[in-house]
Amino acid sequence: MKFKTENSEKNNTPYSDAVELKEFIQFSGMLGLDENGLIEGGIVPETEQIFKNLKANLDYYGLDFSNIVKSLVMIKNMDDFPEFNKTYLKNFDKPYPVRSAFGVADLAFGACIEIEFLAKK
């Protein structure tokens, strides 16, 4: 196993950014954070930032969005799901990754959304 800890070490957080397991890479849950903290503006800007962060993580491994095979979406307000979906679908082509989505009571930093991703090399 190979752990990616570049961002987690920089931010002094108690988890790894990702773990490489043979041909799979499991990414930790991502929030709409940049170097200044949580992006303002709600579900759409946060989701856009998550995909910017995902792109940087995929680049680290020499991968792109087509390598994503699964996502797990945790969303604070299910009324935001249609807007989230529009932004989400801008990043993937068919066939889409498999996906699970859950409404949750709260997320770290007061975020609207958190997404975990699994990629295959």
Side-chain angles (χ1 to χ4, degrees):
M1 282 189 296
K2 181 179 172 187
F3 290 85
K4 178 182 179 283
T5 59
E6 184 178 299
N7 291 324
S8 54
E9 286 178 1
K10 179 175 66 176
N11 296 316
N12 195 29
T13 54
Y15 60 85
S16 296
D17 306 333
V19 62
E20 188 175 349
L21 304 160
K22 296 186 180 180
E23 75 247 31
F24 291 98
I25 300 162
Q26 175 67 58
F27 294 98
S28 286
M30 295 184 193
L31 301 172
L33 299 171
D34 69 7
E35 62 278 351
N36 299 312
L38 185 67
I39 294 292
E40 293 183 11
I43 193 73
V44 171
E46 285 184 38
T47 304
E48 289 170 346
Q49 185 64 44
I50 288 169
F51 277 96
K52 287 179 189 173
N53 297 344
L54 175 60
K55 182 180 181 327
N57 279 287
L58 290 168
D59 288 348
Y60 177 88
Y61 290 100
L63 304 175
D64 60 35
F65 292 124
S66 70
N67 294 97
I68 298 295
V69 295
K70 182 176 189 335
S71 65
L72 171 65
V73 179
M74 293 153 280
I75 188 167
K76 205 158 131 180
N77 183 347
M78 290 305 286
D79 290 340
D80 289 336
F81 198 71
E83 287 302 310
F84 154 74
N85 234 4
K86 289 177 191 173
T87 306
Y88 179 92
L89 290 172
K90 290 178 185 176
N91 296 284
F92 293 114
D93 296 316
K94 289 183 179 181
Y96 302 122
V98 297
R99 180 175 83 180
S100 300
F102 300 93
V104 297
D106 209 0
L107 291 166
F109 302 102
C112 296
I113 189 154
E114 181 172 350
I115 310 174
E116 290 181 7
F117 296 95
L118 178 66
K120 185 178 184 307
K121 294 193 239 172

